[in-house]
Amino acid sequence: MFDLPDNEILPLSKEHVFWTWSAQAKVNPIPVKRAKGVYFWDVNDKRYLDFNSMTMCVNIGHGDERVIKAMQEQAAELPYAAPGMTTKIRAIASKAVADVTPQKALTKVLFTLGGADANENAIKLARGYTKRHKILTRYRSYHGASAGAMAATGDPRRVAWEPNLMTGVVHFLDPYRYRSTFHRSNPDVSEEEFTRDYLNHLEEIILYEGPESIAAILMESVTGTNGIIIPPDGYMQGVRALCDKYGIVMIADEVMSGFGRTGKWFAIEHWNVVPDIMTMAKGLTSAYAPLGAAAMKPEIAAAFDEHAFESGLTYTSHPISLAAAAANINVMKEDKIVEHAAGMGSALRRMLSDLGEAHPSVGEVRNIGLFGILELVKDRKTKEPMAPWNSSSPEMTALRKYCVDNGLFLYTHWHTVLIIPPLIITEAQLKEGMDVLDKALEITDKVASR
Ligand SMILES: Cc1ncc(COP(=O)(O)O)c(C=O)c1O
């Protein structure tokens, strides 16, 4: 339908595309041609094993014909309807999403275009429901690139845009055991005490900020790009209890951790906690079409029964995206993808700990389901990171280059390597990627103390 020789894709793109998150003169994108399962191919037919699910989003894998067909049929039947109308697919997809939420408790769904606007809308819902203003989020977090979601983001991506961001956000610290601020002199602290210390820290902030001014606590259930930080048992339950005690809305950002990524439909289910609002995107359609959502308890929705929710999007509930979501959820159920991810999580844990044992530059490995990370260090005792704060290093750059040159596409962030493959990956395919990584780690080992 659209003709362009393969060798013109890259130069023409470089001429006309303005790239996000990039210095324009330095971009060097992979010209991707096709993708299937856990692999994709560039225009030169080079094959890559996708260890990042593109942008941590292609959960069911590439090229699933069932989702593509559902989108094609929807496009032929009705590609768009206005936000105030409803459609067959809007009825079906909203029920399908509500049905997979924790304990099926989040019965009302507001559809957005992605994760950032899902969080923006969740914040508006919480503010409207509580008639309070402040939002508490964690430092090691990313919630999106629009002004409100960027204000909520705790990591340095926020700082570039300050002070022109949404007001009212207060940040707090994450229960990050490997580099715990509160336990440097007591790294063997019990899990119970560790958890209590971080909950006390949060409660102290709540009290100083004034509970009557706090609308919501917004958290990634398992922190994504900022380090796959898996909360200890009791932490999420404790945050839930603090929210109940002070009348604060609990918002779980499951944009990255949701839809099977951690071996449950949503990460928060590992701790049997039901948030008041849950945001999602990425795995909601496995990226076959853009879509986000804020699913909420009926009482949150009921706060807007008699007056309007003053917000909207031209493309809310876009039928083609909803067809992708409904088909994606069906595929996940039919193929038991969540259960498969849980099983592969155990295989990933074994492989990660093998790498940890073999390589002195590995400080710690963590994973929950197919959400994994290696923290690379120059010295295991001092935990000096392999790259400085908010930066990269020649070793990290060389490690990633080795992987990509050898057909392993993965994401590195500062001194960490993330392992976030499509959830359909087999043990043999995981091993295939880990073998490349095993060799790549020899680069960082060279500068690590033994
Ligand atoms: C946890 C989390 N929340 C929100 C977002 C923003 O989603 P989007 O890029 O679809 O706006 C992301 C994106 O990476 C994310 O990881």
Side-chain angles (χ1 to χ4, degrees):
M1 193 181 299
F2 303 107
D3 280 333
L4 183 70
D6 284 352
N7 62 1
E8 288 179 28
I9 294 174
L10 190 56
L12 196 61
S13 302
K14 281 191 164 181
E15 200 176 331
H16 294 293
V17 174
F18 187 89
W19 308 89
T20 54
W21 302 117
S22 308
Q24 303 303 305
K26 294 185 184 164
V27 293
N28 192 22
I30 301 173
V32 183
K33 189 83 188 282
R34 64 197 165 92
K36 189 77 191 166
V38 295
Y39 298 103
F40 64 89
W41 287 261
D42 69 12
V43 291
N44 302 314
D45 248 355
K46 175 174 168 180
R47 194 185 78 166
Y48 296 82
L49 173 59
D50 186 356
F51 252 30
N52 197 46
S53 308
M54 287 290 179
T55 318
M56 303 91 167
C57 52
V58 188
N59 288 19
I60 63 161
H62 299 278
D64 191 300
E65 296 295 337
R66 293 164 288 183
V67 179
I68 294 166
K69 184 159 173 276
M71 290 167 65
Q72 285 169 335
E73 285 179 2
Q74 186 62 50
E77 187 181 308
L78 179 69
Y80 179 70
M85 300 175 177
T86 195
T87 58
K88 181 173 74 182
I89 195 63
R90 197 170 189 180
I92 288 172
S94 53
K95 178 174 178 350
V97 171
D99 280 354
V100 295
T101 62
Q103 298 179 19
K104 298 191 182 188
L106 310 182
T107 55
K108 290 267 194 172
V109 186
L110 185 169
F111 285 110
T112 66
L113 313 186
D117 52 344
N119 284 325
E120 298 275 353
N121 279 285
I123 289 169
K124 285 180 185 165
L125 286 163
R127 284 179 168 166
Y129 174 74
T130 58
K131 312 239 177 328
R132 300 173 179 179
H133 181 64
K134 286 181 188 164
I135 307 293
L136 267 50
T137 71
R138 294 190 296 202
Y139 276 105
R140 288 185 170 85
S141 69
Y142 179 72
H143 295 292
S146 52
M150 195 58 112
T153 291
D155 83 21
R157 281 173 273 194
R158 161 178 48 90
V159 180
W161 296 101
E162 286 180 334
N164 303 310
L165 295 173
M166 181 184 77
T167 61
V169 178
V170 176
H171 294 105
F172 59 101
L173 289 170
D174 325 69
Y176 178 24
R177 177 120 202 172
Y178 183 60
R179 296 179 191 278
S180 176
T181 302
F182 301 146
H183 308 99
R184 297 227 163 113
S185 56
N186 182 19
D188 298 326
V189 59
S190 72
E191 180 157 306
E192 213 185 331
E193 199 180 328
F194 174 83
T195 305
R196 206 169 44 240
D197 286 343
Y198 277 93
L199 290 170
N200 287 343
H201 157 73
L202 175 57
E203 185 162 20
E204 200 169 338
I205 289 174
I206 292 172
L207 292 173
Y208 269 94
E209 291 298 329
E212 67 293 336
S213 71
I214 302 171
I217 297 178
L218 162 63
M219 283 182 311
E220 292 174 69
S221 306
V222 170
T223 306
T225 41
N226 281 280
I228 316 295
I229 300 170
I230 304 156
D233 192 25
Y235 180 80
M236 281 298 171
Q237 297 92 321
V239 174
R240 177 70 269 179
L242 287 173
C243 287
D244 292 342
K245 183 170 168 187
Y246 295 110
I248 296 169
V249 171
M250 183 177 187
I251 307 173
D253 179 339
E254 293 267 0
V255 169
M256 200 183 282
S257 58
F259 287 92
R261 176 53 60 197
T262 67
K264 302 256 187 207
W265 274 90
F266 295 96
I268 196 126
E269 293 173 88
H270 287 280
W271 302 284
N272 284 321
V273 167
V274 181
D276 301 305
I277 304 177
M278 194 167 76
T279 57
M280 52 191 103
K282 295 188 188 277
L284 170 58
T285 60
S286 288
Y288 282 72
L291 189 70
M296 69 199 91
K297 285 185 176 164
E299 55 263 39
I300 304 275
F304 302 91
D305 272 352
E306 301 305 329
H307 66 269
F309 177 64
E310 295 290 353
S311 195
L313 296 156
T314 298
Y315 298 128
T316 182
S317 297
H318 195 284
I320 298 175
S321 297
L322 293 187
N328 176 63
I329 291 171
N330 281 348
V331 166
M332 290 187 68
K333 288 181 177 169
E334 253 170 55
D335 293 0
K336 297 198 173 8
I337 285 180
V338 182
E339 294 82 345
H340 178 75
M344 281 304 111
S346 311
L348 176 59
R349 179 150 325 146
R350 280 195 306 278
M351 293 180 198
L352 283 172
S353 58
D354 286 350
L355 285 184
E357 268 168 39
H359 294 280
S361 60
V362 177
E364 182 167 91
V365 295
R366 297 184 285 278
N367 83 300
I368 178 164
L370 286 171
F371 213 17
I373 196 164
L374 298 97
E375 280 208 35
L376 304 188
V377 294
K378 290 193 171 156
D379 186 320
R380 278 183 174 165
K381 280 199 209 76
T382 64
K383 301 183 181 173
E384 183 192 346
M386 189 55 69
W389 172 257
N390 193 22
S391 189
S392 191
S393 65
E395 295 79 22
M396 290 303 297
T397 306
L399 174 138
R400 179 156 193 280
K401 183 173 182 315
Y402 179 91
C403 291
V404 174
D405 286 351
N406 286 278
L408 178 65
F409 177 74
L410 49 59
Y411 182 70
T412 54
H413 184 73
W414 305 4
H415 66 290
T416 65
V417 179
L418 289 108
I419 314 288
I420 311 182
L423 305 180
I424 54 164
I425 197 163
T426 63
E427 193 163 337
Q429 290 163 335
L430 258 184
K431 174 91 174 46
E432 180 188 322
M434 289 303 195
D435 286 348
V436 178
L437 194 52
D438 187 23
K439 287 259 172 282
L441 285 167
E442 289 173 14
I443 298 167
T444 47
D445 284 351
K446 284 198 189 113
V447 293
S449 317
R450 290 185 191 244

